Amino acid sequence: MSLAPIKVGVVGFGMSARVFHCPLLASSADYHLAAIVERHGEHGKHHYPHVQIVKSLDDLLAIKEIELVVITTPNDTHFSYSRQVLLAGKNCVTEKPFSLTEAEARELAQTAQASGKVLSVFQNRRWDGDFLTLKALLRENVLGHVVEIESRFDRYRASRKPNAWREDSTFPGSGVLFDLGAHLFDQIIDLMGVPEYVMGTVRNERQIAGTPDDSFMVVLDYPTRNFKAVCRAGMLVRDRPPRFTMLGTRGTFTKLGLDVQEDQLKSGIVPGDEVYGREPSANFGVLDAEIYPGVAFRGTVATADGKYPDFYKNVAAAIRGSADLVVTPEQAADVIRIVELAKRSSDERRSLAFSSKEPLP
């Protein structure tokens, strides 16, 4: 017996909603995309003629049938909007970053628990094909004891992007640390749990007036496990280095290029299409390892298919009570703690312990 689709309202219709959330929701039998909040215009209706366009979050929450609200508005709204949704008795997915401070993030996690509603953060990069491949190699112990993972998300844009709030230093939550660090740190937490220490270098390398940080290198250190993750992002990387480099006692895995799903969604390829999530063989990663004692192997590893739809499949299952939530608000709060520790570490030029769960001052 099939279950009735979960009725969803999406707040905002910018790039995130247009490229990711709406196509993923509309292509899923678990959901019915019922309403979109747009303050100006009705662009969503051109793409999804059946949806109801409303002008505010209050208007959306007044629609009794809406069960899940997806927040895709700028970073400074994530805390207040998510809290409002939960207090209205509805489930909530918010874009990353979860909030602007750890204190806000912990409050949201507590509010979700008290309300009995599902709260998750759209950490779609857990379902990147390259990351799924890396997880499989770790799970199968192909590289022996892994001592280091370098994870990079680089771009080349030497000038300021016009009308982009993420490149406006006066806008709360702007900069690449919030934008890209939130993804990279979450992936490492998914693999290894929270780090013991955080050491960060956060900089504005382009030195463009009025812009926030555009580069970071953050080391998540696990000394008792003889492991560290080096997370990096920059805006002045023209010839891009590997997306992932994983070093172990038996060898190395190197993966170039970015996951294909974002570009596919931008081009109109959606889940259910035959090629969705499938990476060309030319972009497969390279494994160089001693797979048996005295037997070395160097060759490509087929990239697992990317699976962004699995994020929303899990959210639906959690709402229906048939599965535990994969991306939890507690994990999302840990990510924000790392963001704050990385900033403080950079300012103070020292490594900081993650251990205390008290919010940073």
Side-chain angles (χ1 to χ4, degrees), residues 15-25 95 122 124-125 261-262 265-266 308 312:
M15 190 279 282
S16 174
R18 290 195 314 271
V19 172
F20 294 108
H21 297 278
C22 289
L24 293 174
L25 291 163
E95 256 295 347
F122 188 59
N124 57 306
R125 296 289 173 184
Q261 292 171 94
E262 180 173 345
L265 289 165
K266 286 178 178 177
Y308 288 172
Y312 273 116

Side-chain angles (χ1 to χ4, degrees), residues 156-203:
Y156 181 78
R157 188 161 64 234
S159 58
R160 182 176 185 171
K161 185 177 181 179
N163 303 315
W165 59 262
R166 286 185 177 86
E167 295 199 41
D168 182 349
S169 59
T170 66
F171 200 96
S174 60
V176 299
L177 186 64
F178 267 116
D179 185 27
L180 301 178
H183 276 316
L184 303 189
F185 305 153
D186 176 75
Q187 287 181 329
I188 300 302
I189 287 175
D190 184 42
L191 291 175
M192 299 290 180
V194 297
E196 296 169 56
Y197 298 93
V198 175
M199 183 167 62
T201 301
V202 184
R203 300 176 61 189

Side-chain angles (χ1 to χ4, degrees), residues 9 56 63 80 84 91 95 127 137 158 162 183 209 242 249 260 330 336 351:
S56 70
I63 303 173
S80 61
Q84 186 178 349
N91 304 290
E95 256 295 347
W127 288 271
L137 292 172
H183 276 316
T249 54
V260 298
E330 291 78 16
I336 300 303
S351 179

